[in-house]
């Protein structure tokens, strides 16, 4: 199975805003990049097998749902487990306005700490991995997942068996593709957070 992890387009938010499972709108003109993405995915799916079966899943947050609907012609499945990390009390605040001691507390144990009264990274990892285990053996040739930076970083770390505490080092750009080849428990990373499908 080919597995494509796609991050949503850039949202229309204040620079430096903390937003996790908060629903925010997409920036104007997002469809242009989405069109190039759809064409690239379509070509890749067709190249895998002439009669390839595929499925698309997405986070129910609108910034992911809109892209998923666009690239799948409305045939994507919403999955609550794919929502971004819930930053609790920090949601909707600018990072510069969050007390430094709270951020330091989180940074000291980024996997388990949640001083913002939301989800820890481990909680996100547990729900994302539980969902993945429930679908990974489905008989499809291609699986497209449209989600968020945190979800993609967590899933990449788990699939590659990289330390979850280092997941923040993975660079996942807006409307980027991370590609895997999955055969049973054997996983190969083909492309990480790249937007090299974009035509200029």
């Amino acid at each position: 199975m080919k597995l494509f992890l796609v991050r949503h387009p850039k949202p229309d938010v204040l620079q430096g805003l903390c937003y996790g499972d908060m629903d925010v709108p997409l920036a104007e003109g997002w469809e242009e990049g989405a069109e190039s993405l759809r064409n690239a995915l379509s070509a890749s799916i067709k190249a895998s097998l002439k009669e390839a079966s595929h499925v698309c899943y997405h986070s129910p947050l609108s910034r992911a749902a809109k892209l998923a609907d666009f690239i799948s012609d409305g045939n994507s499945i919403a999955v609550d487990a794919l929502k971004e990390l819930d930053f609790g009390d920090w949601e909707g605040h600018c990072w510069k306005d969050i007390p430094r001691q709270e951020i330091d507390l989180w940074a000291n144990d980024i996997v388990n700490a949640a001083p913002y009264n939301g989800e820890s990274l481990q909680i996100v990892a547990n729900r994302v991995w539980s969902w993945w285990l429930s679908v990974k053996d489905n008989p499809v040739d291609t699986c497209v997942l449209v989600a968020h930076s945190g979800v993609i970083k967590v899933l990449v770390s788990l699939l590659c068996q990289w330390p979850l505490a280092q997941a923040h080092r993975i660079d996942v750009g807006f409307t980027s593709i991370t590609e895997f080849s999955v055969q049973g428990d054997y996983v190969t990373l083909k492309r990480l957070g790249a937007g090299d499908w974009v035509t200029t």
Side-chain angles (χ1 to χ4, degrees):
M1 173 176 67
K2 283 188 175 181
L3 172 64
F4 296 98
L5 311 181
V6 180
R7 188 181 179 192
H8 61 79
K10 185 175 182 179
D12 184 14
V13 295
L14 288 172
Q15 187 172 357
L17 187 75
C18 175
Y19 61 95
D21 77 344
M22 174 180 165
D23 215 1
V24 293
L26 289 174
E28 226 174 278
W30 66 270
E31 296 92 344
E32 186 177 338
E35 182 65 35
S36 297
L37 172 65
R38 177 167 60 185
N39 293 339
L41 283 173
S42 179
S44 183
I45 289 169
K46 285 176 183 171
S48 61
L49 284 174
K50 286 190 178 177
E51 297 297 327
S53 59
H54 59 275
V55 64
C56 185
Y57 299 100
H58 67 273
S59 159
L61 297 177
S62 64
R63 60 190 184 269
K66 285 184 177 180
L67 177 61
D69 284 344
F70 187 90
I71 65 175
S72 72
D73 296 322
N75 293 313
S76 187
I77 302 164
V79 178
D80 279 342
L82 301 179
K83 280 186 174 182
E84 183 60 289
L85 182 148
D86 176 6
F87 279 107
D89 299 339
W90 293 358
E91 294 277 351
H93 294 278
C94 285
W95 285 100
K96 65 179 180 59
D97 297 327
I98 297 169
R100 183 68 204 186
Q101 63 270 24
E102 290 183 22
I103 294 176
D104 289 344
L105 197 61
W106 180 46
N108 287 337
D109 185 7
I110 202 163
V111 174
N112 300 298
Y116 38 78
N117 297 312
E119 292 179 305
S120 68
L121 195 60
Q122 187 63 61
I123 288 173
V124 175
N126 292 346
R127 66 170 155 84
V128 170
W129 191 245
S130 177
W131 170 79
W132 170 247
L133 292 178
S134 75
V135 302
K136 75 179 187 72
D137 295 322
N138 288 352
V140 295
D141 299 300
T142 306
C143 177
V144 178
L145 177 106
V146 182
H148 310 275
S149 176
V151 169
I152 293 170
K153 290 177 180 185
V154 160
L155 190 51
V156 168
S157 298
L158 294 170
L159 288 170
C160 294
Q161 298 183 18
W162 294 343
L164 199 54
Q166 300 302 316
H168 64 282
R169 296 179 181 272
I170 299 170
D171 185 18
V172 182
F174 291 115
T175 326
S176 67
I177 300 172
T178 297
E179 180 184 353
F180 285 91
S181 174
V182 181
Q183 294 180 344
D185 291 330
Y186 186 74
V187 178
T188 305
L189 178 60
K190 301 283 189 180
R191 171 193 349 215
L192 180 59
D196 53 3
W197 46 266
V198 177
T199 55
T200 52

